[in-house]
Amino acid sequence: MSELSIVWFRRDLRVADNPALTKAVEMGGVLPIYIYDETDTDQSAKGSANSVWLHQSLKSLNASLDGKLRFFNGDPEEILPRLASEVSAKHVFWNRFYTPHRVTVDEGIKSALQEMGVDAKSFNGSLLWEPWQVTKADGSPYKVFTPFYRKGCMNAQRPRATLPAPEQVDFAEVELASQTLDALQLVPNMPWTSEVMKGWTVGEAGARAAWGNFVDGGLDGYKKGRDFPSKAHVSRLSPHLAFGEVSPHQIWAALEHQTDSEDVAHFKSELAWREFSYYLLFHFDEFATQNFNAKFDRFQWRTDNEALLKWQQGQTGIPIVDAGMRELWQTGYMHNRVRMIVASFLTKNLMLDWRLGADWFENCLVDADRANNRASWQWVAGCGADAAPYFRIFNPVTQSEKFDAAGDYIRQYVPEISDLPDKYLAKPFEAPSNILRQVGIQLGRDYPQPLVDLKKSRSRALDAFAALKEATES
DNA sequence: TGAAATGTTGGGGCG
DNA sequence: ACGCCCCAACATTTC
């Protein structure tokens, strides 16, 4: 007689290369479930772009599971044991989620189930290397990316092989009260939610399509092309990866089938940065909310809600920054080069706390991923592991001239200044008045005056960070 | 996965 | 032919 297994889905919303699902299929009858816990912000912030994606991704997964996915709303710690007992499950399987809070809670759930005599097991569905398998010779965790990757990961056990989607799933027939997907209310009632999803195909098939696109058109030339926001040299896999519609193992395996090149190597190292982010969160409990470098605890971030709002709305008067922030709001995505520029602007030129930026990103990004987002913000702010030094301050104008020389990106998202000649597009505040008049643009009316003077705000930040350095060294 | 300031070099214009 | 200046181009250092 076949044994009933509950498969608890989280951020592994796929049927291929899903170790927990595969294991359950081997054991017999499968009851796939999803539990929405709105207090678990490690997974998704309520009402965010990210939760809109989650809704569609769950819909897609449910279709792959013949509509047999059951939905619940609440605390998994309470729901899982109750369910297991209600349906007399022999097994409960899930793929691990590596943020400290979840690791702790999930361990508790596992013990509780085992005490009930249920076989509870977790699997690795989302990291190429388990965080605890990669350590320095003395057993302590790496804090610098390059040795983490080159020595730690490369000398560790190779990433596991991928699993095919189960050919056939025998779904358990059980009487069980559950919710509908819509009842989870993942999609806030505002027009923005449908706008933001245009241009994306959510779900496992969408992930495959994005990968195919990238391999056909973007991977060749990735290393250099990835810096140019108007070029198609990025994969746009991030939301798919964030929700586990594709696993890093599947991508890694596909890359190994490509002819080795600097482009392939670089894309692999970007996947490794994702690993490093999860690794840091796993090993350093407070990484998501506290400065990794404790010296920064004494730093006096400015309080300026008006400036924060203008940054969020893409109304800073600095075109590349506004273009990025508007891309984020309109599409739920921002090109990586531009993420660094807007983050540098917020933390250095505006001197606002990196956590404010991280929060906004988590609200707006469809690909919001707790580990990647927090580690990257700390990196830019200078307080993170292997971080950019405090004096590394991006000049948004120089960055525009280097990476958006023709102005395509700025013109797409800041159309009100698109008539400006290339020379002044990235710095309308330096355009001579006759040129502004010619194109009919008045700063302060048609487009904002710059929120801060780039030169002055740069030196203000340098002074503040230098003072911090001095204060903590003595 | 910086930018700006400062230093160095070498070609060309010019007296 | 020579020294001088200018300045672009590149290299180094400093923040």
Side-chain angles (χ1 to χ4, degrees):
Chain A
M1 150 152 190
S2 100
E3 299 179 340
L4 193 156
S5 305
I6 293 175
V7 178
W8 178 28
F9 282 91
R10 282 102 64 89
R11 281 205 170 207
D12 50 355
L13 306 181
R14 62 178 183 275
V15 293
D17 194 43
N18 189 319
L21 176 64
T22 298
K23 184 68 180 176
V25 169
E26 274 171 31
M27 306 311 290
V30 177
L31 176 64
I33 68 168
Y34 184 85
I35 303 172
Y36 181 60
D37 176 3
E38 70 173 89
T39 67
D40 183 3
T41 50
D42 280 3
Q43 289 198 66
S44 197
K46 179 126 182 132
S48 64
N50 189 259
S51 75
V52 179
W53 187 292
L54 174 60
H55 176 94
Q56 296 197 16
S57 193
L58 286 169
K59 201 168 181 176
S60 163
L61 176 68
N62 192 23
S64 307
L65 297 171
D66 293 350
K68 298 292 167 58
L69 185 59
R70 299 296 193 100
F71 300 98
F72 302 87
N73 199 344
D75 181 1
E77 226 173 335
E78 181 270 315
I79 292 174
L80 273 169
R82 178 166 59 74
L83 274 187
S85 125
E86 229 171 293
V87 302
S88 306
K90 287 275 188 292
H91 315 275
V92 179
F93 298 131
W94 64 82
N95 297 308
R96 287 188 278 280
F97 192 83
Y98 296 84
T99 59
H101 172 70
R102 278 253 65 89
V103 168
T104 310
V105 176
D106 292 353
E107 278 306 310
I109 292 173
K110 191 183 277 182
S111 319
L113 288 167
Q114 285 166 348
E115 274 172 35
M116 294 166 56
V118 177
D119 169 41
K121 275 204 184 72
S122 67
F123 299 83
N124 173 4
S126 66
L127 289 182
L128 297 167
W129 295 280
E130 302 278 13
W132 54 86
Q133 284 181 339
V134 180
T135 55
K136 293 194 275 190
D138 67 359
S140 66
Y142 288 98
K143 297 177 180 178
V144 181
F145 173 73
T146 304
F148 162 78
Y149 181 40
R150 300 243 172 271
K151 287 165 84 176
C153 297
M154 288 301 124
N155 292 335
Q157 206 175 354
R158 286 165 57 88
R160 64 166 174 76
T162 59
L163 302 162
E167 275 178 32
Q168 201 194 329
V169 182
D170 173 20
F171 292 103
E173 297 296 336
V174 292
E175 288 289 321
L176 184 64
S178 60
Q179 310 253 11
T180 62
L181 172 57
D182 289 339
L184 302 182
Q185 296 188 297
L186 294 172
V187 182
N189 183 20
M190 53 199 283
W192 161 75
T193 57
S194 58
E195 288 302 313
V196 85
M197 297 308 291
K198 284 180 182 163
W200 294 104
T201 309
V202 180
E204 214 169 342
R208 263 195 304 278
W211 172 250
N213 256 345
F214 180 56
V215 169
D216 292 344
L219 181 56
D220 191 28
Y222 171 75
K223 187 174 193 250
K224 294 202 174 79
R226 63 191 285 275
D227 274 331
F228 297 84
S230 64
K231 291 185 182 172
H233 280 291
V234 289
S235 70
R236 296 178 70 89
L237 276 169
S238 52
H240 302 292
L241 199 47
F243 283 99
E245 295 170 1
V246 61
S247 71
H249 306 83
Q250 291 172 300
I251 301 172
W252 191 265
L255 286 166
E256 306 238 287
H257 283 108
Q258 294 286 318
T259 314
D260 201 23
S261 68
E262 61 171 23
D263 296 321
V264 170
H266 203 89
F267 194 77
K268 280 181 169 174
S269 82
E270 292 302 320
L271 281 177
W273 272 100
R274 174 180 174 278
E275 300 280 318
F276 190 49
S277 300
Y278 272 98
Y279 181 86
L280 291 169
L281 244 68
F282 180 85
H283 285 289
F284 305 100
D285 275 7
E286 304 295 326
F287 193 94
T289 52
Q290 300 299 315
N291 299 310
F292 179 72
N293 179 346
K295 282 182 187 174
F296 277 74
D297 293 351
R298 299 174 58 169
F299 189 73
Q300 298 284 314
W301 301 103
R302 291 190 328 120
T303 304
D304 188 342
N305 286 330
E306 198 182 328
L308 176 63
L309 201 61
K310 287 188 170 165
W311 177 80
Q312 291 171 336
Q313 293 172 337
Q315 296 289 344
T316 67
I318 314 291
I320 190 75
V321 174
D322 293 340
M325 298 309 293
R326 295 181 196 185
E327 180 185 25
L328 174 62
W329 182 253
Q330 288 165 29
T331 71
Y333 175 88
M334 196 193 309
H335 186 278
N336 180 252
R337 166 60 54 180
V338 190
R339 293 189 199 200
M340 293 193 286
I341 298 171
V342 303
S344 170
F345 185 76
L346 185 82
T347 57
K348 313 276 169 104
N349 297 91
L350 297 181
M351 256 170 68
L352 296 179
D353 195 315
W354 61 270
R355 283 159 282 220
L356 296 171
D359 288 346
W360 183 249
F361 269 32
E362 276 161 23
N363 190 51
C364 298
L365 282 170
V366 288
D367 66 32
D369 175 298
R370 187 77 170 169
N372 279 340
N373 189 46
R374 298 283 155 166
S376 302
W377 272 97
Q378 291 228 38
W379 181 88
V380 173
C383 53
D386 198 8
Y390 73 87
F391 49 77
R392 195 176 284 166
I393 299 173
F394 287 63
N395 179 331
V397 174
T398 311
Q399 290 283 314
S400 307
E401 287 164 352
K402 274 189 188 165
F403 302 115
D404 188 36
D408 298 329
Y409 182 74
I410 289 177
R411 286 197 174 90
Q412 182 177 357
Y413 290 104
V414 194
E416 68 266 38
I417 58 169
S418 60
D419 287 342
L420 277 172
D422 290 359
K423 187 174 176 191
Y424 296 111
L425 185 67
K427 45 180 178 184
F429 40 88
E430 281 183 22
S433 51
N434 65 317
I435 295 209
L436 286 170
R437 210 174 315 120
Q438 259 174 39
V439 296
I441 294 171
Q442 191 185 319
L443 292 184
R445 182 192 68 184
D446 306 304
Y447 183 68
Q449 295 277 4
L451 184 52
V452 287
D453 178 273
L454 292 177
K455 202 167 175 179
K456 283 184 197 154
S457 57
R458 175 179 192 274
S459 75
R460 175 178 67 181
L462 283 173
D463 289 348
F465 284 110
L468 173 70
K469 191 172 177 242
E470 197 148 316
T472 50
E473 271 172 3
S474 56

